[in-house]
Amino acid sequence: MHSKLRKLPFYPLGKLLLITFQNGGVSFRRIPVFILFLLRYIIFEPFRLTEILLFERKILKHELHEDPIFILGHWRSGTTHLQELLVADSNHTTISVYQFLFIDHFILTERWLKPPMNAFCRIFKIPYSFQRVTMNLNMPGELESAMCAGLSDHSYTWGHIFPKRYEYWFGRMIGLKRPKDQEGWLDDYDFLIKKISFASGGKRVVVKSPGDTGRAIHLLKRYPKSKFVFIERDPLSVYHSTMYFWRVIQKEVSFQKVNDEQLQGYCINSYIKLREPYHYFRKQIPSEQLYELTFKELISEPMDTLNRIYDELELGVLPLKQVEQQLILKRDHQKVNYTTSPELAREIEEKWESSQPVTNFGSDETSY
């Protein structure tokens, strides 16, 4: 992301072609998706260069008033719902879907380009399949996805774009065994956090990227006064919802196709690999900087749960009216019931038995 070559015209286009070559190319049936990516970096290149010229120095000089709030938890554990509730607070901000899709020029274009794009999505009911809703570019997004959209070399999301290389990217950018990867990832992350804060006028940034669950110790070292909220959910629901998540990824953004057996392996192994380093992290962090909760309690007692989060982490006064309004918006969110065969339940239990739960998450068979 901070390559010395990034100021060259059409650097992203060349970078995307290089990354694609290095990661095994594009499956034949995924060529239309690849072409859309190429067009994105061609059409918006003038805005990218202009934004670098006008804003990059200001972003680099920007100082965070408060260290971020990091949401931790496996994919599909309720992290997005928690993110939406935390940013109902007008003192907080987070990256939006528009901002992560157009991370390289959103400061310059968001004000005038996002409204017509949102209108188009609304009129033609363009789906945002990951959350089973109509696309709304104001919805919260993931910082890690923004790193990928910005063509950083340090994003595990490349494992979603190139699923044949998922285990490589997961191991490299969540395991972070090499100091070079640790520093590169943190530098890219820090720049984007500053950019989101700068664009919001200096608000506290809420960051949600599930992979951070396995590397939170590095975030604590970079941001020693940051706050962490860990959310846990019934493993069977996590499994089913993550498999759905992977199928959407395969359909909409992947450049390669892998079979369901491989996806099942990715799902089961990532759960274990995230939780092991998290158990180490929770022993290192001061108790007043970490709050742990379950998805079940968040949806059954949202106000009480949020009040406890605010009290324990000293986030100030919970904005009751704004949170209630957000809960009303989520009231009609589509819920999905999953059925689990005894054989699958037994297999997941056997493979995840060494990964002890952090909290008593209870039973949950719905997607959120």
Side-chain angles (χ1 to χ4, degrees), residues 76 80 83-84 95-98 100-101 118 121 124-142 145 208 244-245 248 252-253 330 333-334:
R76 318 303 284 185
T80 299
Q83 180 186 19
E84 290 172 329
I95 192 168
S96 69
V97 171
Y98 180 89
F100 96 67
L101 288 173
N118 259 339
C121 293
F124 293 97
K125 297 182 178 179
I126 305 299
Y128 186 54
S129 302
F130 292 103
Q131 299 297 330
R132 297 185 175 95
V133 295
T134 299
M135 172 65 80
N136 182 338
L137 296 170
N138 296 311
M139 292 187 297
E142 290 187 14
S145 299
K208 183 216 67 172
Y244 167 80
F245 174 70
V248 174
E252 298 188 1
V253 298
K330 299 293 290 186
H333 188 95
Q334 182 180 355

Side-chain angles (χ1 to χ4, degrees), residues 54 67 77 79-80 96 118 121 158 161 172 188-189 210 214 223 242 260 269 300 308 313 322-324 342:
L54 295 179
D67 281 354
S77 291
T79 54
T80 299
S96 69
N118 259 339
C121 293
W158 288 117
I161 305 297
R172 177 185 164 192
D188 286 353
Y189 231 43
Y223 306 101
T242 304
D260 274 2
N269 292 333
S300 62
R308 289 193 293 270
L313 299 182
Q322 291 91 332
V323 172
E324 288 172 351

Side-chain angles (χ1 to χ4, degrees), residues 211-223:
D212 289 347
T213 310
R215 56 192 185 183
I217 193 68
H218 302 293
L219 293 170
L220 181 61
K221 292 176 181 177
R222 176 61 70 97
Y223 306 101

Side-chain angles (χ1 to χ4, degrees), residues 23-35:
N23 284 274
V26 183
S27 299
F28 179 76
R29 293 185 179 182
R30 309 308 296 158
I31 290 176
V33 176
F34 179 63
I35 291 174

Side-chain angles (χ1 to χ4, degrees), residues 158-196:
W158 288 117
H160 293 149
I161 305 297
F162 301 101
K164 292 180 180 179
R165 297 265 287 168
Y166 177 75
E167 292 180 336
Y168 163 78
W169 283 104
F170 188 100
R172 177 185 164 192
M173 295 316 307
I174 294 180
L176 293 173
K177 301 299 183 183
R178 301 189 305 177
K180 180 180 178 181
D181 286 333
Q182 292 178 25
E183 294 172 7
W185 165 63
L186 284 169
D187 287 345
D188 286 353
Y189 231 43
D190 190 61
F191 178 79
L192 294 187
I193 288 171
K194 285 182 176 180
K195 186 169 186 176
I196 299 303

Side-chain angles (χ1 to χ4, degrees), residues 240-254:
H240 286 295
S241 192
T242 304
M243 287 297 291
Y244 167 80
F245 174 70
W246 260 114
R247 290 181 183 116
V248 174
I249 288 173
Q250 287 274 274
K251 180 180 178 182
E252 298 188 1
V253 298
S254 291

